[in-house]
Every structure is written in structure tokens, then in C-alpha cells.
Amino acid sequence: MVDLKGQYEHIKERVNQSVLEVIESTAYINGPEVHQFQKELEEYLGVKHVIPCANGTDALQVAMMGLGLKPGDEVITADFTFAATVEVIALLGLTPVLVDVDPVTFNIDIEALKNAITPKTKAIVPVHLFGLVAPMDEIMALAKEHDLYVIEDNAQGIGASYTSKDGSKQKAGTIGHVASTSFFPSKNLGCYGDGGAIFTNDDDLAHTIRGMVNHGMYVRYHHDVVGVNSRLDSIQAAVLRAKLPNLDQYNSARRAAARKYTEAFKDIDSIVTPTANCTSQEFICDQCDCHVFHQYTLRVLNTDRDALVQHLQCKGIPCGVYYPIPLHSQKAYRDERYNEADFKITNQLVKEVISLPMHTELDDEQIAYITEAVIEFIA
Ligand SMILES: *Cc1c(COP(=O)(O)O)cnc(C)c1O
């Protein structure tokens, strides 16, 4: 699904040297590499504060802790996403409210979101699923109207841009009150282990969160709040510093591969290729780089999707099903509050989606081999 080795070959010298320097320096925790990376990422994103942490799940959790969300508060998120999003809501004793998604963008459905808002709702967690920015104009407007926090789960969307209806352009993860990301190796900006970060433009929130990731300490050995231990280590920061200057180029390579896939499938009726527009409503943004293709995910209609997966695997083509089970049907998150009729789209998507290999090193020959194998099965 990804070619981390091929990508490493291009940056090997810089990565090896930086990692060795960290080892020689012995500044393994909170070393200068971490602070430098933080500054460079702030600059890249155009955000006031980046708080590095241990992984993307912690980033989400600490963002919610920082906002002071309390047990009983309702937090709305999409039914069709990776479980980490709902997991931290539940772990903190908050009440997860799962809602259906849009069949074109795979992102949270605005009507479903509207209908789910109650007097107990405190926050919305839009996920920029597969690298496509969620409809932030609509989400921010709803949040304003109902006085809600917006926590962007940007684990899959780093580097994407969003153009608002007023023409202003912002990076994904800098639009809501706070955002989380993951540097898991296969993410668009991945390190060589676990890593994550929180972003915000709010000075007070940044201060609160910086202490929270460090045992709730704002002054050494004074613990003002209950925190966690969640750090990005210096070796991972060194890897990320070597990769960050290439992020736009990595995302362009993903987009180029996506365009080639889509071109190859354009005449096949039973294949729905992914949209590159971040809203399926009236506003269409052609030029806003709002998709960074963390995954290239097809819908296959009237097709035995699992048999297609088998077919591709037999031909040596890795593929993935993200995600095979709606969150509201997962044993850990089932609840009698949910009504199957409210999850029509997610229930359909879990049977139709298939993600093809997507990374920065895909060449035309590989794309041709993959698309031919898909078409051979379907047509
Ligand atoms: C990967 C991912 C996470 C979690 O990140 P980790 O670094 O693996 O903890 C959270 N949300 C989404 C949508 C993800 O894809």
C-alpha cells in the first residue's frame, strides 16, 4: 500500500546524518530537533502553535482535555472513520454522537450533523477523511450558531488547503479551534515510529495543552492539572524535519497518481472514483488543493468487493478496505441511541469501498498494472 523504502532512498543521507547527530547529542527527549520541527511546522501551516506529542490518538485526546470537555458533554463525529476518533471521546467519559457521511466526499454529512445537535452538544470533530478537507465553512457556521468547539482530526489531511467561500485559503488543521495530526509512518507526513501533534491559534489553549502533554506541569514539579506523558522524541523530530520540506511535493505526487487512476477508470460505470472537491454542495473549488489523497478510495457498485480484494491480492497488488465496519456497529461503540435508518450511507460504503496502493513512489507501469487488474475483474 505504501513504499516507505523507496521514499527513504531519496532522503537517506539527510535522515541518517540527522538521526546520528541526535544519538551523538544524547538530547533524546525534548531536544533542539523537537523545537525546530515545531517552529518549521508552525511556519508551514501558518498556525500560531504546534504542540508535538506521541501519536495522533493522544493529540485528539489532549485537544479535548484542553478544551475542558466534561463527562456527559456530547461530541459529534462521523460514523465512517478510523476508531481513534470515537475512542478518545469515549475514554474521556464524553458522549460520542456518530452521524452519517456524504456519499461523494466520504466526510461528515452537514444535514446529519445539524440534526444531531442538542443542548448537550459541546464539540464537533470533523475528520478530513482520506485527505479531503471536510466542508469547514458549513461546520464553522454551525459551530458559531450553537457555540460549539471544532476539533479537526487532520491525521489524514496534512498539507491540504481549504478555500472558503470568501476566497480565503487556509491549511487543513488551522481552521477549527484546535486540530490533531498523526505522524504514523504511512501518513502523508510520517516519521519512523509513532508521533503526533496538536495545532491551535489560541494562545491560552496552547499553553494549557503544552502543560497537559507533560504531566500537567507548567512549572517543574508543580502539577496544576491532570495531564499525560505524551512526547515526540528527538529522533522522530529529526526524521520529520528531513521530510517536511518535501511534503508539498509528496502530496503532488499523490495527486498525480490519483489523476492517473481516475483517468483509467473513467469509462467503467460500476466504479465511482473519488472526488477532489471538498464539498458536494453548490460551492465547487477546482484549484484549492483540498485533497492530498492519503487514500485513493473507489466505490465499486454491484460488484463483490471482497472477491475483488482477493483477485488483486492474487495478482500481488495490496489493497485495503477502509473501513469495513461502521463505528456505530462496532462492539465497543454500539448504543441503543442509534437508529440504523440514520446510517444509510455508511452502511452502504462499508460494502463498496476499496483503497488502492497510494504513495509517493507509484510509477506509470505500476498504475497500469493495478488499474488493468481492477478493470479485468469488473468489466
Ligand atoms: C491514524 C489516525 C489517527 C490516529 O493516529 P495514531 O498516530 O495512529 O494514534 C486518528 N484519526 C485518524 C482519522 C487517523 O487516520
Side-chain angles (χ1 to χ4, degrees):
M1 285 299 278
V2 294
D3 182 2
L4 297 176
K5 189 74 197 286
Q7 193 188 59
Y8 169 62
E9 292 298 334
H10 299 293
I11 51 171
K12 190 170 182 168
E13 256 171 62
R14 161 128 200 223
V15 169
N16 288 6
Q17 192 192 329
S18 312
V19 169
L20 272 175
E21 279 170 16
V22 173
I23 295 172
E24 295 282 348
S25 78
T26 72
Y28 305 133
I29 302 287
N30 281 331
E33 290 291 323
V34 178
H35 300 282
Q36 280 305 322
F37 171 64
Q38 174 195 319
K39 289 220 175 66
E40 288 160 5
L41 188 57
E42 284 166 354
E43 199 165 305
Y44 172 83
L45 292 168
V47 73
K48 278 175 91 177
H49 305 281
V50 165
I51 300 119
C53 66
N55 57 69
T57 309
D58 278 7
L60 269 174
Q61 179 181 330
V62 179
M64 288 180 203
M65 289 165 62
L67 291 170
L69 301 182
K70 296 266 155 12
D73 289 349
E74 292 179 0
V75 179
I76 304 175
T77 194
D79 190 38
F80 189 60
T81 174
F82 181 56
T85 324
V86 70
E87 178 179 56
V88 299
I89 298 171
L91 258 181
L92 292 173
L94 312 172
T95 305
V97 177
L98 295 167
V99 302
D100 212 0
V101 296
D102 180 285
V104 176
T105 63
F106 304 140
N107 277 324
I108 197 162
D109 181 86
I110 294 297
E111 284 310 309
L113 169 57
K114 267 184 206 162
N115 293 336
I117 295 173
T118 75
K120 287 188 179 164
T121 307
K122 285 288 170 353
I124 306 168
V125 186
V127 182
H128 304 314
L129 201 74
F130 304 149
L132 179 63
V133 186
M136 293 305 293
D137 276 341
E138 288 81 357
I139 292 167
M140 295 311 291
L142 276 175
K144 197 165 178 199
E145 183 185 337
H146 297 274
D147 198 18
L148 309 174
Y149 292 119
V150 174
I151 304 156
E152 296 175 70
D153 181 343
N154 198 27
Q156 301 187 4
I158 196 155
S161 296
Y162 180 76
T163 305
S164 295
K165 284 173 186 149
D166 67 9
S168 65
K169 191 166 171 175
Q170 283 164 285
K171 289 274 195 231
T174 68
I175 305 163
H177 299 88
V178 61
S180 61
T181 200
S182 164
F183 304 123
F184 186 80
S186 64
K187 299 286 157 96
N188 290 38
L189 180 62
C191 57
Y192 295 166
D194 273 311
I198 301 142
F199 321 144
T200 184
N201 282 309
D202 180 326
D203 298 338
D204 294 335
L205 181 60
H207 174 77
T208 303
I209 288 174
R210 252 182 239 293
M212 274 179 169
V213 296
N214 188 26
H215 302 291
M217 271 196 295
Y218 299 88
V219 174
R220 212 171 168 78
Y221 300 122
H222 292 253
H223 303 272
D224 295 355
V225 295
V226 178
V228 296
N229 170 20
S230 186
R231 295 183 284 238
L232 180 72
D233 73 63
S234 304
I235 288 179
Q236 299 308 336
V239 172
L240 290 163
R241 285 192 73 202
K243 290 179 79 171
L244 180 59
N246 301 329
L247 177 58
D248 285 344
Q249 185 204 318
Y250 291 160
N251 284 339
S252 301
R254 287 172 176 272
R255 268 196 289 266
R259 272 194 298 274
K260 288 174 193 162
Y261 274 139
T262 294
E263 177 63 24
F265 295 131
K266 72 176 191 303
D267 295 328
I268 315 289
D269 290 341
S270 52
I271 295 180
V272 182
T273 52
T275 180
N277 286 317
C278 52
T279 167
S280 60
Q281 277 117 53
E282 76 290 349
F283 175 67
I284 303 292
C285 41
D286 305 324
Q287 313 253 308
C288 72
D289 310 338
C290 59
H291 207 323
V292 291
F293 288 96
H294 174 62
Q295 296 295 346
Y296 182 87
T297 303
L298 299 173
R299 289 175 63 191
V300 290
L301 311 179
N302 309 312
T303 301
D304 183 343
R305 189 268 322 271
D306 294 334
L308 172 60
V309 170
Q310 285 285 316
H311 171 77
L312 295 180
Q313 276 167 356
C314 289
K315 304 212 121 193
I317 299 168
C319 57
V321 173
Y322 310 115
Y323 297 90
I325 303 171
L327 288 178
H328 80 273
S329 308
Q330 295 283 0
K331 206 166 159 190
Y333 305 111
R334 268 181 220 154
D335 198 296
E336 57 204 13
R337 288 178 287 129
Y338 296 130
N339 184 347
E340 281 308 316
D342 294 330
F343 298 99
K344 277 207 201 78
I345 304 300
T346 303
N347 286 340
Q348 186 73 22
L349 292 179
V350 295
K351 291 184 247 158
E352 295 175 345
V353 289
I354 178 166
S355 300
L356 300 181
M358 175 48 77
H359 53 82
T360 57
E361 315 301 312
L362 277 170
D363 62 31
D364 289 355
E365 203 182 317
Q366 290 169 321
I367 290 175
Y369 181 73
I370 295 163
T371 53
E372 277 159 25
V374 172
I375 293 169
E376 170 189 85
F377 181 85
I378 288 196

